[in-house]
Amino acid sequence: MIKTDVVILGGGVIGLTIALKMLNTGREIILLDPEEPGTGTSYGNAGTIAEYAVLPVGSPEIIKKLPSLLFNKNSPISVKRTEILSLAPWLIRFLYQSMPKQAAKNAQAITDLLANSRLRWEELADQINGKSLLNRNGNIYLYKTDSSYESGLKDINNRKKYGLNAEMLNPSELNKLEPNLNFSEGGASYFPDGAYMSDPGKMTKLLLDASVKKGCQVIKKEANRIDRTSEGVKVTLADKSEIITKHLVIAAGAYSKKFAKQAGDYIPLDAERGYHVEYDMKDPLLNRPCCSAENGFYMSPMTGRLRVVGTVELGGLSPEISRHRVSHLEKGALSFFPDLGKPSREWLGFRPSIPDSKPVISQSSKGNDIIYAFGHGHIGLTLAPVTAEIVESIITKSKPPLPISEFSVQRF
Ligand SMILES: Cc1cc2nc3c(=O)[nH]c(=O)nc-3n(C[C@H](O)[C@H](O)[C@H](O)COP(=O)(O)OP(=O)(O)OC[C@H]3O[C@@H](n4cnc5c(N)ncnc54)[C@H](O)[C@@H]3O)c2cc1C
């Protein structure tokens, strides 16, 4: 049996960032993942460092739009019909969290957690030689019609209540920033403080390499069970081998719920399935990630390809790709760039989502021997560095970088 100081269960961007942070405290760290770390959801996202994503998914506006959003096959949010019963408890909590008072409270907590995300990523990227992958061109929301521009303006004014820095652009101002976009009406909102990664998969590889160099032991096996024992937390792996650890960090993204349950906590975690299609090309048409506000997807310029990425499909962890969702992305992309042709590849990933859009970054209800770091939904890439700082403060019993009660497991 192996004994160690800290086991991190899950090697996505959250687990990897925590591993690197904890190695700096001189502790012995084991990272567990049956897959190559960083190649899941943390690889296929839109790459935005989205300090502007201050609003939770659940809001009073979404309640009004919900029937058309859920039952119109072409809407940016859909529900897998076969999963509707198992999703019901999550959806009920989501509706409650979408009410005005709850949504405003959640927005403030998310705003506080997002503060300085770009700065934190700049420092982290510097440490792991990833500076060239981080771009500071800002990010854009696109509105193709005057009426969606008007809705966008309301959305931006709402975000400005939380201190957001954003500018509205008319079609010719947009065209100066993005010469390949020629709108006859509508416009855009521009977030000059936004940043993005030109290859999230390469960034997670750099995180892994830096952790291994500092002594992190990576065990490519699946964890099956966790138990508290008198010697520490016992992690039993799929091959029946065991590890005893002083602290266990559960960072398995959308797969974390069963481990929290084994630790004694019920957490309403479900997966928001998201897709991407990629078009290989030398110059990927855009200077920064641009989000189609009407269609709910980003077009993100990545190294050697344009990634068209997003939409939400509520409904579990099955690996089956929805042809309809993929074709929604393809058709949407063609409406901006008619000459794109067929995509070079497609991908499905799982956003780990909590109904109030706030991650769980917290010690378990029974103590800091088990720590939760999952549920980052749409903004896990952005929030990885601050999550690692909070986890470090929980393990070392030091002051966290911000008040953390909003992210506690006690809220459920
Ligand atoms: C379409 C899409 C677009 C997105 N765009 C953005 C964006 O632009 N900006 C942003 O900030 N965020 C974005 N996100 C969200 C972000 O990608 C996620 O929040 C983030 O990747 C979650 O990271 P994670 O480490 O928690 O999970 P993951 O990356 O899913 O990692 C979890 C790891 O746990 C491992 N694991 C699972 N079960 C076990 C087990 N039993 N034992 C051991 N290991 C296990 C898995 O193999 C996996 O490697 C997007 C997500 C999607 C789907």
Side-chain angles (χ1 to χ4, degrees), residues 169-188:
L169 307 178
N170 64 31
S172 79
E173 289 164 334
L174 168 63
N175 184 254
K176 279 189 195 128
L177 287 180
E178 294 294 347
N180 287 323
L181 293 175
N182 294 296
F183 285 15
S184 53
E185 58 174 305

Side-chain angles (χ1 to χ4, degrees), residues 69 72 74-78 293-297 311-313 325 328:
L69 282 176
N72 173 357
N74 293 318
S75 79
I77 301 184
S78 69
E294 292 97 343
N295 297 310
F297 63 74
T311 83
V312 169
E313 183 187 40
R325 288 279 104 187
H328 174 78

Side-chain angles (χ1 to χ4, degrees), residues 384-396:
V386 72
T387 301
E389 285 178 38
I390 296 173
V391 170
E392 181 196 23
S393 75
I394 294 171
I395 292 179
T396 59

Side-chain angles (χ1 to χ4, degrees), residues 64-110:
K64 283 182 224 150
K65 289 190 214 153
L66 208 59
S68 70
L69 282 176
L70 295 183
F71 298 108
N72 173 357
K73 273 175 97 184
N74 293 318
S75 79
I77 301 184
S78 69
V79 178
K80 266 183 133 226
R81 302 275 163 89
T82 49
E83 300 293 327
I84 211 144
L85 272 182
S86 59
L87 271 171
W90 190 97
L91 282 171
I92 290 166
R93 283 176 183 263
F94 176 76
L95 286 176
Y96 175 71
Q97 293 298 333
S98 301
M99 286 154 74
K101 205 168 141 208
Q102 279 71 17
K105 185 167 175 271
N106 295 334
Q108 189 55 58
I110 296 166

Side-chain angles (χ1 to χ4, degrees), residues 12-34:
V13 70
I14 300 294
L16 286 166
T17 312
I18 294 169
L20 192 61
K21 191 83 191 161
M22 288 313 299
L23 284 158
N24 291 336
T25 68
R27 284 170 172 76
E28 220 175 67
I29 311 290
I30 291 179
L31 184 79
L32 272 183
D33 200 312

Side-chain angles (χ1 to χ4, degrees), residues 109 112-113 390 400-407:
D112 295 343
L113 195 61
I390 296 173
L402 72 156
I404 54 173
S405 59
E406 286 287 325
F407 313 105

Side-chain angles (χ1 to χ4, degrees), residues 38 111 166 222 228 254 262 296 348 386:
T111 303
E222 185 184 346
R228 288 186 164 93
Q262 290 169 4
L348 159 68
V386 72

